[in-house]
């Protein structure tokens, strides 16, 4: 009888737990992250796919290096650097540091650094939007 009561109590506690608050965040950052959505500050400015102003991706390597590639008006630009993963107030970020300056670095500070917020849905979002840049979201493709 005692075992039955303990089992029922355990079962009640286990079944009452909700996974609504569970965040699914990827820990497998290596691979290709492609730009899939872009929007500006204006209403109805969201674009996806080939309608976006440019196509872009990050290729993150296991050794902490990366390549960023952007194709705009048929011209492909690539730059490289290194990345680390950091956390601030329960949010995770990829901090990208570039070897040289480039117009394709989406940064508020102009210091050859870029940050991407790691979203709960295993997507990345550029922090460039915080200083009037476009909202750029990426999803992992491999």
């Amino acid at each position: 009888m005692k075992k039955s009561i303990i089992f029922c109590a355990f079962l009640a506690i286990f079944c009452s737990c909700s996974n609504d608050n569970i965040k699914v965040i990827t820990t497998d950052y290596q691979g290709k992250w492609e730009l899939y959505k872009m929007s500006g500050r204006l209403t109805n400015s969201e674009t996806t796919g080939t309608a976006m102003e440019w196509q872009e991706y990050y290729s993150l390597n296991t050794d902490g290096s990366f390549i960023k590639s952007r194709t705009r008006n048929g011209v492909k630009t690539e730059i490289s650097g290194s990345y680390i993963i950091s956390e601030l107030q329960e949010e995770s970020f990829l901090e990208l540091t570039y070897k040289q300056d480039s117009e394709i670095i989406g940064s508020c500070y102009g210091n050859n650094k870029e940050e991407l917020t790691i979203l709960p849905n295993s997507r990345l979002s550029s922090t460039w939007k915080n200083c009037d840049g476009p909202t750029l979201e990426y999803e992992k493709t491999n």
Side-chain angles (χ1 to χ4, degrees):
M1 178 71 172
K2 187 176 181 180
K3 289 181 182 179
S4 296
I5 292 172
I6 293 172
F7 177 75
C8 289
F10 175 76
L11 188 60
I13 291 170
F14 180 76
C15 291
S16 67
C17 293
S18 170
N19 50 348
D20 291 341
N21 296 328
I22 294 175
K23 292 181 178 181
V24 177
I25 296 178
T26 186
T27 55
D28 182 18
Y29 304 109
Q30 293 79 31
K32 188 175 184 180
W33 294 83
E34 290 189 40
L35 180 64
Y36 76 94
K37 181 169 62 172
M38 170 187 293
S39 61
R41 300 257 181 223
L42 300 175
T43 306
N44 298 322
S45 65
E46 183 176 297
T47 56
T48 59
T50 58
M52 293 186 296
E53 193 173 333
W54 65 78
Q55 303 299 307
E56 181 172 277
Y57 68 86
Y58 295 91
S59 182
L60 304 177
N61 302 312
T62 57
D63 65 357
S65 67
F66 73 92
I67 295 172
K68 180 177 183 178
S69 178
R70 179 182 291 173
T71 302
R72 184 179 199 169
N73 298 325
V75 177
K76 184 175 183 176
T77 305
E78 287 190 344
I79 55 176
S80 62
S82 60
Y83 72 93
I84 61 170
I85 299 159
S86 64
E87 288 191 25
L88 178 65
Q89 298 177 353
E90 298 184 23
E91 284 193 310
S92 296
F93 296 88
L94 288 176
E95 291 183 30
L96 309 170
T97 303
Y98 292 90
K99 294 178 181 177
Q100 63 206 30
D101 193 27
S102 174
E103 65 180 18
I104 71 170
I105 298 173
S107 174
C108 297
Y109 307 110
N111 59 357
N112 291 354
K113 292 189 179 223
E114 204 173 7
E115 288 183 345
L116 300 170
T117 304
I118 301 167
L119 301 175
N121 58 3
S122 297
R123 292 189 171 161
L124 302 176
S125 179
S126 173
T127 60
W128 193 15
K129 66 184 171 215
N130 298 340
C131 58
D132 294 331
T135 298
L136 305 173
E137 291 194 21
Y138 303 83
E139 61 186 356
K140 191 169 183 190
T141 58
N142 72 4

